[in-house]
Amino acid sequence: MPFLNSVKIWDDVLNPSLDDKTAPSLGSVYLNDEDKIYVDCTEFFKRTLITRDMIEALENIVNVFTGKGGNKILLLNSLFGGGKTHTLLTIYHAFKCPEALLNANVENEEIRRRLENVIKGIEKSRKIRLVVIDGHLDMVAPGPDHPFNVPVNFSVKTIWGMIAYQLGLYEKMRDRDEQLIAPRADTLVQLLGEEPVLILMDEIAYYLVLYKRAGNQTLRDYGTQITLFLEVLAQAINMAPKSVLVLSIPISVSGNVISVEDSYRDNESDIRGLYKVVSRVASRQLTPVSSSNIASILKVRIFENILVNAAKSISNELYNIYSREEYKQFFGNDAYRLTQEVIETYPFHPTYITTLVEIVNNHEKLEKTRDAIRLTRKVVRKLYSEKSKAELIMPYHLDVEDNEFQGLLLSTSSYRGFISAIQTDIIGITRKCYDRVEKTECCNKPELAKIVAKTIFIKSFVYGDFNKNLRVYPTK
């Protein structure tokens, strides 16, 4: 049975204009300037998978607010498209309207129970003051050159001024804001007070580099003050009894190895300095999304509903095929395990997920989860428009014959040379078969030959070298 008969696709997936909104900005959601699916708490959680690190972040914050301990600084570490902003949005919506969390998707029942306890903890907390700083938006991260003009005859010029303004205490920070000088820790402790304060910071690395590398000396001086402020803020958060700072940093940490996002390579020292400053105070580091979450995230973000029985049915059908004697050389004794994976990934074939993960993790321009979602939206929309009879979404549905997919996958200089190979070896061979130019065995089933060629290509191009010609087909 075609998978399209067993799923209900989210309406937004069928809208191409929202493809580039797979990762809305934190500031835009705060300012109510994004699509409803991101601004409305309930709609947001219907399309959100609560991962283990997300539930741990929520539990940690609740523990601080209820006086049960916990880390007061949470660092969201991952590279481009690693779920940092979506995690910040999850925290934002959870503390804005905790009851909407009941609509969230979870990895297992244990996380569901923990989520219910988080909701109770948030509701028991006294009124929580929420602050949002987004380094990409002047209205929530102003600067000396782009102040936030308040319609009562004053302007906010710094991020410390914006924090004070959102807390309703700007007058306590006015002098430091106007002088562009970072406040002292004790001033910030008084500002934060003794009741719960939650500060969410996104794209602070972009904001820092913007000013530290500015052409104007006044702006560069302000950039230095930003670093000082973040260090002082971390100290103040640690001293304030019920304050928590959650911020994203474009790095990945593996043991003692720290990797900086490629887009910040020219400013690596600034990013490492930022990480050192905010991690100096006792903090907890979280990686919001891992590769093992991708299948579940795609199912939640793309489909409103998936029939479980359909997944079991196709799994049984595949087992009956994979376990045949003639296929043991391919599947060995793994037929059962492999077909059980289909139940977890349906309507995606497991190899679609592994192939997609390999592409977004290794492609020089793609952004992990963000582009995995964007590519899959296009795949599903194309299959829907074609009224596809496919029973599973396969790797070759990342259709390199399609100009849109070529634009996303092959537009950079590293991969552009593959376009001619597609024309010759995928499109051209099939055309020759139909025109009876070729008389090879593959021409008995030209469409199958094309599927095989597309699959080989999509699973290997990201590692390939189009400049290397093999005169003889390799046998070893």
Side-chain angles (χ1 to χ4, degrees):
M1 181 172 66
F3 84 88
L4 288 172
N5 293 352
S6 304
V7 301
K8 183 177 181 182
I9 303 169
W10 283 112
D11 289 342
D12 68 274
V13 173
L14 302 178
N15 184 351
S17 67
L18 294 177
D19 285 352
D20 291 331
K21 289 287 187 179
T22 55
S25 77
L26 174 66
S28 294
V29 170
Y30 172 75
L31 296 169
N32 202 30
D33 190 29
E34 284 284 2
D35 191 85
K36 180 183 177 181
I37 63 173
Y38 302 117
V39 172
D40 182 273
C41 299
T42 299
E43 292 300 318
F44 174 82
F45 282 123
K46 284 180 179 179
R47 295 165 173 82
T48 294
L49 175 75
I50 303 296
T51 65
R52 188 167 298 278
D53 272 16
M54 285 182 184
I55 192 66
E56 289 180 0
L58 292 169
E59 289 173 334
N60 184 97
I61 297 168
V62 167
N63 286 340
V64 173
F65 288 169
T66 55
K68 296 179 181 178
N71 296 95
K72 294 183 177 180
I73 299 177
L74 301 180
L75 305 181
L76 305 180
N77 299 337
S78 71
L79 304 183
F80 252 149
K84 299 185 296 295
T85 298
H86 200 85
T87 299
L88 286 165
L89 286 169
T90 297
I91 296 169
Y92 171 77
H93 282 307
F95 285 89
K96 184 181 176 186
C97 39
E99 69 285 350
L101 269 170
L102 292 172
N103 295 282
N105 301 270
V106 295
E107 291 183 310
N108 53 55
E109 285 308 307
E110 177 209 348
I111 292 181
R112 172 70 65 193
R113 289 191 295 272
R114 292 167 67 181
L115 196 62
E116 291 170 354
N117 290 330
V118 163
I119 295 170
K120 293 175 184 177
I122 295 173
E123 292 174 341
K124 284 180 181 178
S125 300
R126 299 179 66 177
K127 187 176 180 181
I128 298 164
R129 293 180 293 167
L130 187 61
V131 174
V132 168
I133 302 294
D134 185 332
H136 276 160
L137 297 175
D138 298 338
M139 291 187 71
V140 284
D145 53 338
H146 293 285
F148 172 66
N149 297 314
V150 180
V152 285
N153 296 325
F154 73 90
S155 298
V156 182
K157 301 178 179 64
T158 66
I159 52 173
W160 47 92
M162 177 52 67
I163 291 174
Y165 174 73
Q166 289 189 29
L167 291 174
L169 298 169
Y170 178 74
E171 287 303 319
K172 291 189 175 183
M173 194 63 68
R174 181 190 283 269
D175 288 346
R176 293 283 183 164
D177 183 61
E178 291 179 344
Q179 295 167 11
L180 308 181
I181 298 175
R184 294 168 58 89
D186 55 354
T187 303
L188 286 173
V189 172
Q190 292 175 17
L191 194 76
L192 296 170
E194 297 185 358
E195 298 305 321
V197 174
L198 176 57
I199 301 176
L200 305 178
M201 281 191 179
D202 201 14
E203 305 295 352
I204 197 65
Y206 169 85
Y207 183 83
L208 174 66
V209 170
L210 180 70
Y211 286 106
K212 291 201 77 171
R213 304 301 176 181
N216 179 286
Q217 184 61 50
T218 300
L219 298 182
R220 287 199 298 274
D221 290 342
Y222 174 61
T224 300
Q225 290 296 313
I226 294 170
T227 303
L228 293 174
F229 168 70
L230 292 171
E231 183 171 11
V232 171
L233 176 63
Q235 295 169 359
I237 290 286
N238 199 44
M239 290 187 283
K242 293 184 179 180
S243 292
V244 175
L245 170 65
V246 187
L247 73 161
S248 64
I249 301 183
I251 63 170
S252 66
V253 180
S254 179
N256 294 323
V257 179
I258 300 173
S259 301
V260 176
E261 195 173 280
D262 286 343
S263 59
Y264 289 101
R265 288 297 183 196
D266 292 340
N267 310 106
E268 185 168 341
S269 61
D270 294 326
I271 304 307
R272 289 181 178 274
L274 168 63
Y275 174 71
K276 183 178 180 180
V277 161
V278 295
S279 62
R280 188 173 294 159
V281 177
S283 60
R284 183 172 184 176
Q285 302 185 32
L286 300 171
T287 302
V289 173
S290 67
S291 296
S292 63
N293 302 133
I294 295 297
S296 297
I297 289 172
L298 289 178
K299 289 166 66 173
V300 166
R301 295 291 294 273
I302 304 296
F303 303 106
E304 185 176 355
N305 186 49
I306 300 172
L307 294 180
V308 176
N309 288 340
K312 293 179 179 178
S313 176
I314 190 66
S315 173
N316 290 336
E317 288 180 31
L318 288 174
Y319 177 72
N320 290 335
I321 296 171
Y322 289 5
S323 58
R324 291 176 187 169
E325 189 65 33
E326 62 263 38
Y327 295 129
K328 278 197 172 181
Q329 61 177 316
F330 302 111
F331 303 111
N333 296 319
D334 287 338
Y336 180 77
R337 178 184 62 80
L338 292 170
T339 53
Q340 284 299 296
E341 288 179 9
V342 174
I343 297 176
E344 300 300 319
T345 62
Y346 185 84
F348 305 102
H349 191 282
T351 57
Y352 175 88
I353 300 299
T354 56
T355 300
L356 186 65
V357 168
E358 287 176 11
I359 291 172
V360 297
N361 280 347
N362 293 285
H363 197 286
E364 62 184 35
K365 292 297 181 183
L366 297 183
E367 301 176 7
K368 295 185 180 291
T369 312
R370 188 175 307 168
D371 277 309
I373 294 170
R374 186 157 64 125
L375 285 164
T376 302
R377 285 172 62 95
K378 294 179 185 296
V379 166
V380 171
R381 194 165 54 244
K382 187 172 189 289
L383 293 173
Y384 176 81
S385 67
E386 294 171 349
K387 296 181 173 57
S388 172
K389 301 298 183 183
E391 293 186 295
L392 291 167
I393 300 171
M394 304 296 293
Y396 66 85
H397 288 133
L398 290 159
D399 190 359
V400 292
E401 270 192 275
D402 188 288
N403 289 335
E404 192 172 10
F405 285 100
Q406 285 188 16
L408 281 169
L409 299 174
L410 306 175
S411 61
T412 63
S413 58
S414 298
Y415 310 115
R416 199 174 295 127
F418 284 123
I419 295 176
S420 61
I422 291 169
Q423 293 295 327
T424 303
D425 299 336
I426 296 178
I427 300 173
I429 285 294
T430 307
R431 186 180 298 121
K432 289 178 180 179
C433 286
Y434 282 124
D435 293 341
R436 301 184 181 279
V437 174
E438 295 283 340
K439 293 184 179 180
T440 60
E441 187 175 344
C442 74
C443 285
N444 294 330
K445 296 181 179 179
E447 285 305 314
L448 178 59
K450 182 186 282 190
I451 286 172
V452 171
K454 284 182 178 180
T455 301
I456 293 171
F457 179 85
I458 203 67
K459 287 180 68 66
S460 60
F461 84 93
V462 78
Y463 302 109
D465 184 349
F466 66 83
N467 290 315
K468 185 176 181 180
N469 295 317
L470 296 177
R471 296 182 180 277
V472 179
Y473 191 84
T475 57
K476 294 183 180 180

